[in-house]
Amino acid sequence: MTESQLPKTQVVIIGSGIGGCIAALALAPYYSVTLIDKDAEPQNKVGESLAPAAIRILKQLNLQHLLSDPRHIVSQGTLSYWGSDEPTLIDNLKNPDGFGWHLDRAYFEKQLREACYTANIHTIWPAQLVDSTKTSHGWKVTYQHNAHAHQLISDIVIDASGRHCVFARQQGIARHQFDKLMSIGFTANLNITKNVAVISHTDDSWWYSAPLHQNDLNAGIYQQKRIFSWYAEPHIIKAAQIHTPQVLLQRAQHVTGLGALISQLDHSSATLHPMLAANSSKLESCSGNAWFAIGDSAISFDPLSSQGMFNAMASAMQLSELLINNGLTHTDNRHIYQQQVDKIWQSYLAHRALYYKMVS
Ligand SMILES: Cc1cc2nc3c(=O)[nH]c(=O)nc-3n(C[C@H](O)[C@H](O)[C@H](O)COP(=O)(O)OP(=O)(O)OC[C@H]3O[C@@H](n4cnc5c(N)ncnc54)[C@H](O)[C@@H]3O)c2cc1C
C-alpha cells in the first residue's frame, strides 16, 4: 500500500495511561485522534496518590465526576516523618484544591479509556508500536495488532508510553538518569482505617505507605488494604535479600511512623511486589520534528513528590493547548513545548534538592 493510501489521522498517541488519555480527550474536539496501547486493559500500576490540583484538569475536561467513585479513597493528607521523629501532618484540608485521592489506579485508567470511547476517539488495543518513519505525508507509524503489522499516517506523534518512551528511543533520543532510586514493596490487610499516606526517612532510604482500594476485603475482619514501599539505591535493596514479604515487613516495623500500622496488619495477607525503577530521568529532547513526549515519557519524578500522575495530566494539557492554539504543525511548537518542560524540570530538581537536604 502506498503512503497516500494508508489510513490517516491527525494525531497518534502512543500509550493510553493517564497522560495519553488526557491528551486524547483534550485534543479530540479539534483533531482526529488515534490512541494506541500495548495492553488490552489497564494494568495494576504502582502509584496511587493523586495530588489535589488534578481536579482542576479533570474539571476542564468535564470529568471531575470520575473521582467521586467510591473506589477512589479521599486522602486527608500525608503524615511526614521526614527528618524528624515527630510527625508533621501535611493536611489536605488546608490545600486550596481540597483533598487528594488514593486512586484505584487500574480502575481510574479504565474510566479514562471509557471517556475516550464516549468522545469517539479512535482507540486501538492491544497494539504495540513497532516503528515510525517521517515521510512527506507525515509520520508513517507501524504497530502490531492482532498478530499483524498495521500502518497509519499521522501529522504528529505524541509519545505517552511512560518511562519506556518507545517512540523517542526509536528516534535515537537519549534518556538521562539523575539517580538510581529503586522501590520494592508489599501490600497487606489491616484492622484499622487510616486515610492518610505516611512518609518516613531512615539513614540511607525512605518509606511510604498509603491506603488502597480493595474490593474483596472482608469488612468484618479487615478495615483496609495498604501498600508499604521501600525506596533506596539498588545495592541497598539487593543486600537486604528480600525474597519474601515477611523480610520487608520486619524491616518496616522498626521504621518511625510505620510501627503502629504494622502492628495492626495481618502478616499472612502480605504480598510482595517486584523491584521497580523510581529514579528521576529526562529525555534529552522532549519534542522534535512533529513529535512530542508527555508525562513520564518526557520526565519522570522521584515518587517522593507524588506528582507523577499530575505531571502526566498537566503536560498533556499544556501540549494540547499549544497544538489547539497554534495548529498541529506550527514550527514554534516544539521549541515552546521544550521550554515549558525544561522549566518544570528545573523547578522539580530544586524542590527535590531541598527535600533531600533536610535529611542529609
Ligand atoms: C514506585 C513508584 C511509585 C509511584 N507513586 C506515585 C504516586 O503515589 N503518585 C503519583 O502521582 N505518581 C506516582 N508515581 C509515578 C506515576 O506512576 C507516573 O508518573 C505515571 O504513571 C505517568 O503516567 P504516564 O501516562 O505518563 O505513563 P504510564 O502510566 O507509564 O503509561 C504509559 C502507557 O504506555 C503504554 N505503552 C508502553 N509501551 C508501549 C508500546 N510499545 N506501544 C504501545 N503502548 C505502550 C503502557 O501500556 C501504558 O499504558 C510512582 C512511580 C513509581 C515507579
Side-chain angles (χ1 to χ4, degrees), residues 117-130:
Y117 294 137
T118 308
N120 287 323
I121 292 163
H122 182 213
T123 58
I124 313 173
W125 37 67
Q128 185 133 2
L129 179 70
V130 174

PDB file of all heavy atoms in Angstrom, residues 117-130:
ATOM      1  N   TYR A 117     -13.797   6.384  24.705  1.00  0.00           N
ATOM      2  CA  TYR A 117     -14.817   5.757  23.835  1.00  0.00           C
ATOM      3  C   TYR A 117     -15.978   6.726  23.647  1.00  0.00           C
ATOM      4  O   TYR A 117     -16.454   6.939  22.548  1.00  0.00           O
ATOM      5  CB  TYR A 117     -15.395   4.477  24.458  1.00  0.00           C
ATOM      6  CG  TYR A 117     -14.449   3.314  24.629  1.00  0.00           C
ATOM      7  CD1 TYR A 117     -14.453   2.560  25.804  1.00  0.00           C
ATOM      8  CD2 TYR A 117     -13.578   2.928  23.616  1.00  0.00           C
ATOM      9  CE1 TYR A 117     -13.610   1.476  25.976  1.00  0.00           C
ATOM     10  CE2 TYR A 117     -12.725   1.839  23.786  1.00  0.00           C
ATOM     11  CZ  TYR A 117     -12.745   1.124  24.965  1.00  0.00           C
ATOM     12  OH  TYR A 117     -11.913   0.056  25.144  1.00  0.00           O
ATOM     13  N   THR A 118     -16.423   7.321  24.766  1.00  0.00           N
ATOM     14  CA  THR A 118     -17.575   8.228  24.709  1.00  0.00           C
ATOM     15  C   THR A 118     -17.278   9.418  23.797  1.00  0.00           C
ATOM     16  O   THR A 118     -18.165   9.924  23.113  1.00  0.00           O
ATOM     17  CB  THR A 118     -17.921   8.731  26.138  1.00  0.00           C
ATOM     18  OG1 THR A 118     -18.054   7.592  26.979  1.00  0.00           O
ATOM     19  CG2 THR A 118     -19.198   9.537  26.182  1.00  0.00           C
ATOM     20  N   ALA A 119     -16.015   9.855  23.783  1.00  0.00           N
ATOM     21  CA  ALA A 119     -15.635  11.012  22.953  1.00  0.00           C
ATOM     22  C   ALA A 119     -15.343  10.590  21.505  1.00  0.00           C
ATOM     23  O   ALA A 119     -14.862  11.401  20.714  1.00  0.00           O
ATOM     24  CB  ALA A 119     -14.406  11.690  23.557  1.00  0.00           C
ATOM     25  N   ASN A 120     -15.657   9.334  21.186  1.00  0.00           N
ATOM     26  CA  ASN A 120     -15.464   8.802  19.822  1.00  0.00           C
ATOM     27  C   ASN A 120     -14.020   8.875  19.338  1.00  0.00           C
ATOM     28  O   ASN A 120     -13.765   9.076  18.148  1.00  0.00           O
ATOM     29  CB  ASN A 120     -16.370   9.526  18.815  1.00  0.00           C
ATOM     30  CG  ASN A 120     -17.803   9.092  18.989  1.00  0.00           C
ATOM     31  OD1 ASN A 120     -18.068   7.915  19.266  1.00  0.00           O
ATOM     32  ND2 ASN A 120     -18.723  10.039  18.874  1.00  0.00           N
ATOM     33  N   ILE A 121     -13.102   8.741  20.264  1.00  0.00           N
ATOM     34  CA  ILE A 121     -11.683   8.704  19.884  1.00  0.00           C
ATOM     35  C   ILE A 121     -11.388   7.317  19.309  1.00  0.00           C
ATOM     36  O   ILE A 121     -11.889   6.306  19.818  1.00  0.00           O
ATOM     37  CB  ILE A 121     -10.809   9.012  21.125  1.00  0.00           C
ATOM     38  CG1 ILE A 121     -11.007  10.471  21.527  1.00  0.00           C
ATOM     39  CG2 ILE A 121      -9.334   8.711  20.856  1.00  0.00           C
ATOM     40  CD1 ILE A 121     -10.557  10.804  22.925  1.00  0.00           C
ATOM     41  N   HIS A 122     -10.602   7.290  18.236  1.00  0.00           N
ATOM     42  CA  HIS A 122     -10.259   6.004  17.624  1.00  0.00           C
ATOM     43  C   HIS A 122      -9.214   5.317  18.504  1.00  0.00           C
ATOM     44  O   HIS A 122      -8.084   5.793  18.606  1.00  0.00           O
ATOM     45  CB  HIS A 122      -9.717   6.243  16.207  1.00  0.00           C
ATOM     46  CG  HIS A 122      -9.397   4.980  15.491  1.00  0.00           C
ATOM     47  ND1 HIS A 122      -8.370   4.874  14.589  1.00  0.00           N
ATOM     48  CD2 HIS A 122      -9.971   3.745  15.554  1.00  0.00           C
ATOM     49  CE1 HIS A 122      -8.326   3.631  14.128  1.00  0.00           C
ATOM     50  NE2 HIS A 122      -9.288   2.938  14.692  1.00  0.00           N
ATOM     51  N   THR A 123      -9.613   4.241  19.165  1.00  0.00           N
ATOM     52  CA  THR A 123      -8.695   3.553  20.077  1.00  0.00           C
ATOM     53  C   THR A 123      -8.318   2.199  19.492  1.00  0.00           C
ATOM     54  O   THR A 123      -9.161   1.519  18.900  1.00  0.00           O
ATOM     55  CB  THR A 123      -9.348   3.338  21.458  1.00  0.00           C
ATOM     56  OG1 THR A 123     -10.546   2.578  21.278  1.00  0.00           O
ATOM     57  CG2 THR A 123      -9.684   4.649  22.127  1.00  0.00           C
ATOM     58  N   ILE A 124      -7.057   1.828  19.658  1.00  0.00           N
ATOM     59  CA  ILE A 124      -6.601   0.519  19.173  1.00  0.00           C
ATOM     60  C   ILE A 124      -5.781  -0.134  20.285  1.00  0.00           C
ATOM     61  O   ILE A 124      -4.726   0.380  20.669  1.00  0.00           O
ATOM     62  CB  ILE A 124      -5.708   0.641  17.911  1.00  0.00           C
ATOM     63  CG1 ILE A 124      -6.332   1.580  16.870  1.00  0.00           C
ATOM     64  CG2 ILE A 124      -5.454  -0.728  17.294  1.00  0.00           C
ATOM     65  CD1 ILE A 124      -5.425   1.874  15.689  1.00  0.00           C
ATOM     66  N   TRP A 125      -6.270  -1.239  20.836  1.00  0.00           N
ATOM     67  CA  TRP A 125      -5.502  -2.019  21.808  1.00  0.00           C
ATOM     68  C   TRP A 125      -5.977  -3.449  21.804  1.00  0.00           C
ATOM     69  O   TRP A 125      -7.145  -3.687  21.509  1.00  0.00           O
ATOM     70  CB  TRP A 125      -5.564  -1.440  23.218  1.00  0.00           C
ATOM     71  CG  TRP A 125      -6.847  -0.849  23.668  1.00  0.00           C
ATOM     72  CD1 TRP A 125      -8.025  -1.474  23.907  1.00  0.00           C
ATOM     73  CD2 TRP A 125      -7.057   0.551  23.969  1.00  0.00           C
ATOM     74  NE1 TRP A 125      -8.965  -0.569  24.330  1.00  0.00           N
ATOM     75  CE2 TRP A 125      -8.395   0.669  24.383  1.00  0.00           C
ATOM     76  CE3 TRP A 125      -6.265   1.700  23.937  1.00  0.00           C
ATOM     77  CZ2 TRP A 125      -8.954   1.900  24.752  1.00  0.00           C
ATOM     78  CZ3 TRP A 125      -6.821   2.907  24.309  1.00  0.00           C
ATOM     79  CH2 TRP A 125      -8.150   3.000  24.713  1.00  0.00           C
ATOM     80  N   PRO A 126      -5.102  -4.403  22.066  1.00  0.00           N
ATOM     81  CA  PRO A 126      -3.674  -4.233  22.315  1.00  0.00           C
ATOM     82  C   PRO A 126      -2.935  -3.959  21.001  1.00  0.00           C
ATOM     83  O   PRO A 126      -3.144  -4.663  20.018  1.00  0.00           O
ATOM     84  CB  PRO A 126      -3.240  -5.586  22.893  1.00  0.00           C
ATOM     85  CG  PRO A 126      -4.224  -6.572  22.335  1.00  0.00           C
ATOM     86  CD  PRO A 126      -5.506  -5.828  22.127  1.00  0.00           C
ATOM     87  N   ALA A 127      -2.101  -2.930  21.010  1.00  0.00           N
ATOM     88  CA  ALA A 127      -1.358  -2.548  19.807  1.00  0.00           C
ATOM     89  C   ALA A 127      -0.005  -1.997  20.228  1.00  0.00           C
ATOM     90  O   ALA A 127       0.055  -1.020  20.973  1.00  0.00           O
ATOM     91  CB  ALA A 127      -2.125  -1.494  19.027  1.00  0.00           C
ATOM     92  N   GLN A 128       1.038  -2.627  19.789  1.00  0.00           N
ATOM     93  CA  GLN A 128       2.392  -2.254  20.221  1.00  0.00           C
ATOM     94  C   GLN A 128       3.094  -1.494  19.103  1.00  0.00           C
ATOM     95  O   GLN A 128       3.106  -1.952  17.955  1.00  0.00           O
ATOM     96  CB  GLN A 128       3.165  -3.536  20.540  1.00  0.00           C
ATOM     97  CG  GLN A 128       4.514  -3.270  21.114  1.00  0.00           C
ATOM     98  CD  GLN A 128       4.781  -4.131  22.342  1.00  0.00           C
ATOM     99  OE1 GLN A 128       3.947  -4.957  22.718  1.00  0.00           O
ATOM    100  NE2 GLN A 128       5.913  -3.937  22.959  1.00  0.00           N
ATOM    101  N   LEU A 129       3.679  -0.369  19.470  1.00  0.00           N
ATOM    102  CA  LEU A 129       4.424   0.404  18.466  1.00  0.00           C
ATOM    103  C   LEU A 129       5.618  -0.417  17.977  1.00  0.00           C
ATOM    104  O   LEU A 129       6.376  -0.954  18.774  1.00  0.00           O
ATOM    105  CB  LEU A 129       4.927   1.712  19.078  1.00  0.00           C
ATOM    106  CG  LEU A 129       5.737   2.594  18.126  1.00  0.00           C
ATOM    107  CD1 LEU A 129       4.851   3.195  17.041  1.00  0.00           C
ATOM    108  CD2 LEU A 129       6.467   3.695  18.887  1.00  0.00           C
ATOM    109  N   VAL A 130       5.776  -0.488  16.637  1.00  0.00           N
ATOM    110  CA  VAL A 130       6.896  -1.241  16.069  1.00  0.00           C
ATOM    111  C   VAL A 130       7.933  -0.282  15.497  1.00  0.00           C
ATOM    112  O   VAL A 130       9.124  -0.393  15.767  1.00  0.00           O
ATOM    113  CB  VAL A 130       6.396  -2.214  14.963  1.00  0.00           C
ATOM    114  CG1 VAL A 130       7.570  -2.902  14.270  1.00  0.00           C
ATOM    115  CG2 VAL A 130       5.436  -3.240  15.548  1.00  0.00           C
TER     116      VAL A 130
END
